[in-house]
Amino acid sequence: MIIIGYAFYYVAALIGISVGYHRYFTHRSFKTTPYIEVLMLTLGLICGGRSALTWAGVHRMHHAKSDTEHDPHSPKFVGMWNVLTSSWRVNYIPKKYIVDLIKNPRVRFFHTYGKYMHITYAIVMLFGGLFVPFVLMAFVLAWVGFGMLNYFAHKDGQPADVPILNLIAPGEGWHKYHHDHPMKHRLNRYDIAGWFIERAIIKTKSRS
């Protein structure tokens, strides 16, 4: 069950968070169809990403103010424990960081109804005997994995590449390279998220 739960988390986080919330909704590093958007929004939600609207808005703030006192999850200013446990909070996201996302009806729908969808999904999995691998593990691994990423991928006030973090935060270990090239959809020759975008999403779009 642990192996199944980890495998499900890895795929869901790779497509939902790294490809979807991060490279697509935040940075617009590639184009895709509304159907793929819904897939990415769903998988991101399952992994505990909550709203792509706020996730992307906060991440854009992070890039704009990286490793300063205005960085929403700077280890230096927010504190190690708050970053590792993802317990930092953002009280306000300036509209300039989310104005394009507000115009997307699918993003707005998931922002409004996502928590109810996640609760419904969790109940179905609970009654199906699949709650631990397909709900709990996905949520906990994402919570821990991206907390570790936000902490360990920033050293001495600068982003850092930590490839081993790809094991717990799929597709996110090349953090410095990403900060240097935020619009690139592929970060490394071994970047599975970038490979998926090139092989599955971009090709799908070209045939539509």
CSV table of all heavy atoms in Angstrom, one decimal, residues 45-91:
chain,number,residue,atom,x,y,z
A,45,LEU,N,-5.2,19.5,-6.9
A,45,LEU,CA,-6.1,19.5,-5.7
A,45,LEU,C,-6.0,18.3,-4.8
A,45,LEU,O,-5.9,18.4,-3.6
A,45,LEU,CB,-7.6,19.6,-6.2
A,45,LEU,CG,-8.7,19.8,-5.2
A,45,LEU,CD1,-8.6,21.2,-4.6
A,45,LEU,CD2,-10.1,19.6,-5.9
A,46,ILE,N,-5.9,17.1,-5.5
A,46,ILE,CA,-5.8,15.9,-4.7
A,46,ILE,C,-4.5,15.8,-3.9
A,46,ILE,O,-4.5,15.3,-2.8
A,46,ILE,CB,-5.8,14.7,-5.7
A,46,ILE,CG1,-7.2,14.5,-6.3
A,46,ILE,CG2,-5.3,13.4,-5.0
A,46,ILE,CD1,-7.3,13.5,-7.4
A,47,CYS,N,-3.4,16.5,-4.4
A,47,CYS,CA,-2.2,16.5,-3.7
A,47,CYS,C,-2.1,17.6,-2.6
A,47,CYS,O,-1.1,17.9,-2.0
A,47,CYS,CB,-1.0,16.8,-4.7
A,47,CYS,SG,-0.6,15.4,-5.7
A,48,GLY,N,-3.2,18.2,-2.4
A,48,GLY,CA,-3.3,19.2,-1.3
A,48,GLY,C,-2.8,20.6,-1.8
A,48,GLY,O,-2.5,21.5,-0.9
A,49,GLY,N,-2.7,20.8,-3.1
A,49,GLY,CA,-2.3,22.1,-3.6
A,49,GLY,C,-3.3,23.2,-3.4
A,49,GLY,O,-3.1,24.4,-3.6
A,50,ARG,N,-4.5,22.8,-3.0
A,50,ARG,CA,-5.7,23.7,-2.9
A,50,ARG,C,-5.9,24.5,-4.1
A,50,ARG,O,-5.8,24.0,-5.2
A,50,ARG,CB,-5.5,24.6,-1.6
A,50,ARG,CG,-5.5,23.7,-0.3
A,50,ARG,CD,-5.3,24.6,0.9
A,50,ARG,NE,-4.0,24.9,1.1
A,50,ARG,CZ,-3.5,25.5,2.2
A,50,ARG,NH1,-4.3,25.8,3.2
A,50,ARG,NH2,-2.2,25.8,2.3
A,51,SER,N,-6.1,25.8,-4.0
A,51,SER,CA,-6.5,26.6,-5.2
A,51,SER,C,-5.3,26.9,-6.1
A,51,SER,O,-4.3,27.5,-5.6
A,51,SER,CB,-7.2,27.9,-4.8
A,51,SER,OG,-7.3,28.8,-5.8
A,52,ALA,N,-5.3,26.6,-7.4
A,52,ALA,CA,-4.3,27.0,-8.3
A,52,ALA,C,-4.2,28.5,-8.3
A,52,ALA,O,-3.1,29.1,-8.6
A,52,ALA,CB,-4.5,26.4,-9.7
A,53,LEU,N,-5.3,29.2,-8.1
A,53,LEU,CA,-5.3,30.7,-8.2
A,53,LEU,C,-4.3,31.2,-7.1
A,53,LEU,O,-3.5,32.1,-7.4
A,53,LEU,CB,-6.7,31.2,-7.9
A,53,LEU,CG,-6.9,32.7,-8.0
A,53,LEU,CD1,-6.7,33.3,-9.4
A,53,LEU,CD2,-8.3,33.1,-7.4
A,54,THR,N,-4.5,30.8,-5.9
A,54,THR,CA,-3.7,31.3,-4.8
A,54,THR,C,-2.3,30.7,-4.8
A,54,THR,O,-1.3,31.4,-4.5
A,54,THR,CB,-4.3,31.0,-3.4
A,54,THR,OG1,-4.6,29.6,-3.3
A,54,THR,CG2,-5.6,31.8,-3.3
A,55,TRP,N,-2.1,29.4,-5.2
A,55,TRP,CA,-0.8,28.8,-5.3
A,55,TRP,C,0.0,29.6,-6.3
A,55,TRP,O,1.2,29.9,-6.0
A,55,TRP,CB,-1.0,27.3,-5.8
A,55,TRP,CG,0.2,26.4,-5.6
A,55,TRP,CD1,0.3,25.5,-4.6
A,55,TRP,CD2,1.4,26.4,-6.4
A,55,TRP,NE1,1.5,24.9,-4.7
A,55,TRP,CE2,2.2,25.4,-5.8
A,55,TRP,CE3,1.9,27.1,-7.5
A,55,TRP,CZ2,3.5,25.0,-6.3
A,55,TRP,CZ3,3.1,26.8,-8.0
A,55,TRP,CH2,3.9,25.8,-7.4
A,56,ALA,N,-0.5,29.8,-7.5
A,56,ALA,CA,0.3,30.5,-8.5
A,56,ALA,C,0.5,32.0,-8.1
A,56,ALA,O,1.6,32.5,-8.3
A,56,ALA,CB,-0.5,30.5,-9.9
A,57,GLY,N,-0.4,32.6,-7.5
A,57,GLY,CA,-0.2,34.0,-7.0
A,57,GLY,C,0.9,34.1,-6.0
A,57,GLY,O,1.8,35.0,-6.1
A,58,VAL,N,0.9,33.2,-5.1
A,58,VAL,CA,1.9,33.2,-4.0
A,58,VAL,C,3.3,32.9,-4.7
A,58,VAL,O,4.3,33.5,-4.3
A,58,VAL,CB,1.6,32.2,-2.9
A,58,VAL,CG1,2.8,31.9,-2.0
A,58,VAL,CG2,0.4,32.7,-2.1
A,59,HIS,N,3.3,31.9,-5.6
A,59,HIS,CA,4.6,31.6,-6.2
A,59,HIS,C,5.1,32.7,-7.1
A,59,HIS,O,6.3,32.9,-7.2
A,59,HIS,CB,4.4,30.3,-7.1
A,59,HIS,CG,5.8,29.8,-7.5
A,59,HIS,ND1,6.6,29.2,-6.6
A,59,HIS,CD2,6.4,29.8,-8.7
A,59,HIS,CE1,7.7,28.8,-7.3
A,59,HIS,NE2,7.6,29.1,-8.6
A,60,ARG,N,4.3,33.5,-7.7
A,60,ARG,CA,4.7,34.7,-8.5
A,60,ARG,C,5.3,35.7,-7.5
A,60,ARG,O,6.3,36.4,-7.9
A,60,ARG,CB,3.6,35.2,-9.3
A,60,ARG,CG,3.2,34.4,-10.5
A,60,ARG,CD,1.9,34.8,-11.2
A,60,ARG,NE,1.6,34.0,-12.4
A,60,ARG,CZ,0.5,34.2,-13.1
A,60,ARG,NH1,-0.4,35.1,-12.8
A,60,ARG,NH2,0.3,33.4,-14.2
A,61,MET,N,4.7,35.8,-6.4
A,61,MET,CA,5.2,36.7,-5.3
A,61,MET,C,6.6,36.3,-4.9
A,61,MET,O,7.5,37.1,-4.7
A,61,MET,CB,4.3,36.8,-4.1
A,61,MET,CG,3.0,37.5,-4.4
A,61,MET,SD,1.8,37.3,-3.1
A,61,MET,CE,2.6,38.2,-1.7
A,62,HIS,N,6.7,34.9,-4.8
A,62,HIS,CA,8.0,34.4,-4.4
A,62,HIS,C,9.1,34.7,-5.4
A,62,HIS,O,10.2,35.1,-5.0
A,62,HIS,CB,7.9,32.8,-4.2
A,62,HIS,CG,9.2,32.1,-4.2
A,62,HIS,ND1,10.1,32.2,-3.2
A,62,HIS,CD2,9.7,31.2,-5.1
A,62,HIS,CE1,11.1,31.4,-3.4
A,62,HIS,NE2,10.9,30.8,-4.6
A,63,HIS,N,8.8,34.6,-6.7
A,63,HIS,CA,9.8,34.9,-7.7
A,63,HIS,C,10.1,36.4,-7.7
A,63,HIS,O,11.3,36.8,-7.9
A,63,HIS,CB,9.3,34.5,-9.1
A,63,HIS,CG,9.6,33.1,-9.4
A,63,HIS,ND1,10.7,32.7,-10.2
A,63,HIS,CD2,9.0,31.9,-9.1
A,63,HIS,CE1,10.8,31.4,-10.3
A,63,HIS,NE2,9.8,30.9,-9.7
A,64,ALA,N,9.1,37.2,-7.5
A,64,ALA,CA,9.3,38.7,-7.6
A,64,ALA,C,10.1,39.2,-6.4
A,64,ALA,O,10.9,40.1,-6.5
A,64,ALA,CB,8.0,39.4,-7.6
A,65,LYS,N,10.0,38.5,-5.2
A,65,LYS,CA,10.6,39.0,-4.0
A,65,LYS,C,11.5,37.9,-3.4
A,65,LYS,O,11.6,37.9,-2.1
A,65,LYS,CB,9.5,39.4,-3.0
A,65,LYS,CG,8.5,40.4,-3.5
A,65,LYS,CD,9.0,41.7,-3.8
A,65,LYS,CE,7.9,42.7,-4.2
A,65,LYS,NZ,8.5,44.1,-4.5
A,66,SER,N,12.1,37.0,-4.2
A,66,SER,CA,12.8,35.9,-3.7
A,66,SER,C,13.8,36.2,-2.6
A,66,SER,O,14.7,37.0,-2.8
A,66,SER,CB,13.4,35.1,-4.8
A,66,SER,OG,14.0,33.9,-4.4
A,67,ASP,N,13.7,35.5,-1.5
A,67,ASP,CA,14.7,35.5,-0.4
A,67,ASP,C,14.9,36.9,0.2
A,67,ASP,O,15.9,37.3,0.6
A,67,ASP,CB,16.1,35.0,-0.9
A,67,ASP,CG,16.0,33.5,-1.2
A,67,ASP,OD1,15.8,32.7,-0.3
A,67,ASP,OD2,16.2,33.2,-2.4
A,68,THR,N,13.7,37.7,0.2
A,68,THR,CA,13.7,39.0,0.9
A,68,THR,C,12.6,38.8,1.9
A,68,THR,O,11.9,37.8,2.0
A,68,THR,CB,13.3,40.1,-0.1
A,68,THR,OG1,12.0,40.0,-0.5
A,68,THR,CG2,14.2,40.1,-1.3
A,69,GLU,N,12.4,39.9,2.7
A,69,GLU,CA,11.4,39.8,3.8
A,69,GLU,C,10.0,39.8,3.2
A,69,GLU,O,9.0,39.5,3.9
A,69,GLU,CB,11.5,41.1,4.7
A,69,GLU,CG,11.4,42.4,3.9
A,69,GLU,CD,11.6,43.6,4.9
A,69,GLU,OE1,11.1,43.5,6.0
A,69,GLU,OE2,12.2,44.6,4.4
A,70,HIS,N,9.9,40.1,1.9
A,70,HIS,CA,8.6,40.0,1.2
A,70,HIS,C,8.3,38.7,0.5
A,70,HIS,O,7.3,38.5,-0.1
A,70,HIS,CB,8.4,41.2,0.2
A,70,HIS,CG,8.6,42.5,0.9
A,70,HIS,ND1,7.7,43.0,1.8
A,70,HIS,CD2,9.6,43.5,0.7
A,70,HIS,CE1,8.1,44.2,2.2
A,70,HIS,NE2,9.2,44.5,1.6
A,71,ASP,N,9.3,37.8,0.6
A,71,ASP,CA,9.1,36.4,0.0
A,71,ASP,C,8.2,35.7,1.0
A,71,ASP,O,8.5,35.5,2.2
A,71,ASP,CB,10.5,35.8,-0.1
A,71,ASP,CG,10.4,34.4,-0.7
A,71,ASP,OD1,9.3,33.8,-0.7
A,71,ASP,OD2,11.5,33.8,-1.0
A,72,PRO,N,7.0,35.1,0.5
A,72,PRO,CA,6.1,34.5,1.4
A,72,PRO,C,6.6,33.3,2.2
A,72,PRO,O,6.1,33.0,3.3
A,72,PRO,CB,5.0,34.0,0.4
A,72,PRO,CG,5.1,34.9,-0.8
A,72,PRO,CD,6.6,35.2,-0.9
A,73,HIS,N,7.6,32.6,1.6
A,73,HIS,CA,8.2,31.5,2.4
A,73,HIS,C,9.7,31.4,2.3
A,73,HIS,O,10.3,30.4,2.1
A,73,HIS,CB,7.6,30.1,1.8
A,73,HIS,CG,7.6,30.0,0.3
A,73,HIS,ND1,8.7,29.8,-0.4
A,73,HIS,CD2,6.6,30.0,-0.6
A,73,HIS,CE1,8.4,29.7,-1.7
A,73,HIS,NE2,7.1,29.8,-1.8
A,74,SER,N,10.3,32.6,2.6
A,74,SER,CA,11.8,32.7,2.7
A,74,SER,C,12.2,32.1,4.1
A,74,SER,O,11.7,32.5,5.1
A,74,SER,CB,12.2,34.1,2.7
A,74,SER,OG,13.6,34.2,3.1
A,75,PRO,N,13.0,31.0,4.1
A,75,PRO,CA,13.5,30.4,5.3
A,75,PRO,C,14.1,31.5,6.2
A,75,PRO,O,14.0,31.4,7.5
A,75,PRO,CB,14.5,29.4,4.9
A,75,PRO,CG,14.1,29.1,3.5
A,75,PRO,CD,13.6,30.3,2.9
A,76,LYS,N,14.8,32.4,5.7
A,76,LYS,CA,15.5,33.4,6.5
A,76,LYS,C,14.6,34.3,7.2
A,76,LYS,O,14.8,34.7,8.4
A,76,LYS,CB,16.4,34.3,5.6
A,76,LYS,CG,17.2,35.4,6.3
A,76,LYS,CD,18.1,36.2,5.3
A,76,LYS,CE,18.8,37.3,6.1
A,76,LYS,NZ,19.7,38.0,5.2
A,77,PHE,N,13.5,34.7,6.6
A,77,PHE,CA,12.6,35.6,7.3
A,77,PHE,C,11.3,35.0,7.9
A,77,PHE,O,10.7,35.5,8.8
A,77,PHE,CB,12.1,36.7,6.2
A,77,PHE,CG,13.3,37.6,5.8
A,77,PHE,CD1,14.0,37.3,4.6
A,77,PHE,CD2,13.7,38.6,6.5
A,77,PHE,CE1,15.0,38.1,4.2
A,77,PHE,CE2,14.8,39.4,6.1
A,77,PHE,CZ,15.4,39.2,5.0
A,78,VAL,N,10.9,33.9,7.3
A,78,VAL,CA,9.7,33.2,7.9
A,78,VAL,C,10.1,32.2,9.0
A,78,VAL,O,9.3,31.9,9.9
A,78,VAL,CB,8.9,32.5,6.7
A,78,VAL,CG1,7.7,31.8,7.3
A,78,VAL,CG2,8.5,33.5,5.7
A,79,GLY,N,11.2,31.6,8.9
A,79,GLY,CA,11.7,30.7,9.9
A,79,GLY,C,11.7,29.2,9.4
A,79,GLY,O,10.8,28.9,8.6
A,80,MET,N,12.7,28.4,9.8
A,80,MET,CA,12.8,27.1,9.4
A,80,MET,C,11.6,26.2,9.6
A,80,MET,O,11.1,25.6,8.7
A,80,MET,CB,14.0,26.4,10.1
A,80,MET,CG,14.2,25.0,9.7
A,80,MET,SD,15.5,24.1,10.7
A,80,MET,CE,14.7,23.9,12.2
A,81,TRP,N,11.0,26.3,10.8
A,81,TRP,CA,9.9,25.4,11.1
A,81,TRP,C,8.7,25.8,10.3
A,81,TRP,O,8.0,24.9,9.8
A,81,TRP,CB,9.6,25.5,12.6
A,81,TRP,CG,8.4,24.7,13.0
A,81,TRP,CD1,7.1,25.1,13.4
A,81,TRP,CD2,8.4,23.2,13.1
A,81,TRP,NE1,6.3,24.0,13.7
A,81,TRP,CE2,7.1,22.9,13.5
A,81,TRP,CE3,9.4,22.3,12.9
A,81,TRP,CZ2,6.7,21.5,13.7
A,81,TRP,CZ3,9.0,20.9,13.1
A,81,TRP,CH2,7.7,20.6,13.5
A,82,ASN,N,8.4,27.0,10.1
A,82,ASN,CA,7.2,27.4,9.3
A,82,ASN,C,7.3,27.0,7.9
A,82,ASN,O,6.4,26.7,7.2
A,82,ASN,CB,7.0,29.0,9.4
A,82,ASN,CG,6.5,29.4,10.8
A,82,ASN,OD1,5.8,28.7,11.4
A,82,ASN,ND2,6.9,30.6,11.2
A,83,VAL,N,8.6,27.1,7.3
A,83,VAL,CA,8.8,26.7,5.9
A,83,VAL,C,8.7,25.2,5.8
A,83,VAL,O,8.0,24.6,4.9
A,83,VAL,CB,10.1,27.2,5.4
A,83,VAL,CG1,10.4,26.7,4.0
A,83,VAL,CG2,10.1,28.7,5.4
A,84,LEU,N,9.4,24.4,6.7
A,84,LEU,CA,9.4,23.0,6.6
A,84,LEU,C,8.0,22.4,6.7
A,84,LEU,O,7.7,21.4,6.1
A,84,LEU,CB,10.3,22.4,7.6
A,84,LEU,CG,11.8,22.4,7.3
A,84,LEU,CD1,12.6,21.9,8.5
A,84,LEU,CD2,12.1,21.5,6.1
A,85,THR,N,7.2,23.0,7.6
A,85,THR,CA,5.8,22.5,7.8
A,85,THR,C,4.8,23.1,7.0
A,85,THR,O,3.6,22.9,7.1
A,85,THR,CB,5.5,22.6,9.3
A,85,THR,OG1,5.5,24.0,9.7
A,85,THR,CG2,6.4,21.8,10.2
A,86,SER,N,5.2,24.0,6.1
A,86,SER,CA,4.3,24.8,5.2
A,86,SER,C,3.2,25.5,6.0
A,86,SER,O,2.0,25.5,5.6
A,86,SER,CB,3.7,23.8,4.2
A,86,SER,OG,4.6,23.3,3.3
A,87,SER,N,3.6,26.0,7.2
A,87,SER,CA,2.6,26.7,8.0
A,87,SER,C,2.7,28.2,7.9
A,87,SER,O,2.1,28.9,8.7
A,87,SER,CB,2.8,26.2,9.5
A,87,SER,OG,4.2,26.5,9.9
A,88,TRP,N,3.5,28.7,7.0
A,88,TRP,CA,3.5,30.1,6.7
A,88,TRP,C,2.2,30.5,6.1
A,88,TRP,O,1.4,29.7,5.5
A,88,TRP,CB,4.7,30.5,5.7
A,88,TRP,CG,4.8,29.6,4.5
A,88,TRP,CD1,5.5,28.4,4.4
A,88,TRP,CD2,4.1,29.7,3.3
A,88,TRP,NE1,5.3,27.8,3.2
A,88,TRP,CE2,4.4,28.6,2.5
A,88,TRP,CE3,3.2,30.6,2.8
A,88,TRP,CZ2,4.0,28.4,1.2
A,88,TRP,CZ3,2.7,30.5,1.5
A,88,TRP,CH2,3.1,29.4,0.7
A,89,ARG,N,1.8,31.8,6.2
A,89,ARG,CA,0.6,32.3,5.7
A,89,ARG,C,0.8,33.6,4.9
A,89,ARG,O,1.7,34.4,5.1
A,89,ARG,CB,-0.4,32.6,6.9
A,89,ARG,CG,-0.8,31.4,7.7
A,89,ARG,CD,-1.8,30.6,6.9
A,89,ARG,NE,-2.2,29.4,7.6
A,89,ARG,CZ,-1.6,28.2,7.6
A,89,ARG,NH1,-0.5,28.0,6.8
A,89,ARG,NH2,-2.1,27.2,8.3
A,90,VAL,N,-0.1,33.8,3.9
A,90,VAL,CA,-0.1,35.0,3.1
A,90,VAL,C,-1.5,35.6,3.2
A,90,VAL,O,-2.5,34.9,2.9
A,90,VAL,CB,0.1,34.7,1.6
A,90,VAL,CG1,0.0,36.0,0.7
A,90,VAL,CG2,1.6,34.2,1.4
A,91,ASN,N,-1.6,36.8,3.8
A,91,ASN,CA,-2.9,37.4,4.0
A,91,ASN,C,-3.5,38.1,2.8
A,91,ASN,O,-4.7,38.3,2.8
A,91,ASN,CB,-2.8,38.4,5.2
A,91,ASN,CG,-2.4,37.7,6.5
A,91,ASN,OD1,-2.9,36.6,6.8
A,91,ASN,ND2,-1.5,38.3,7.3
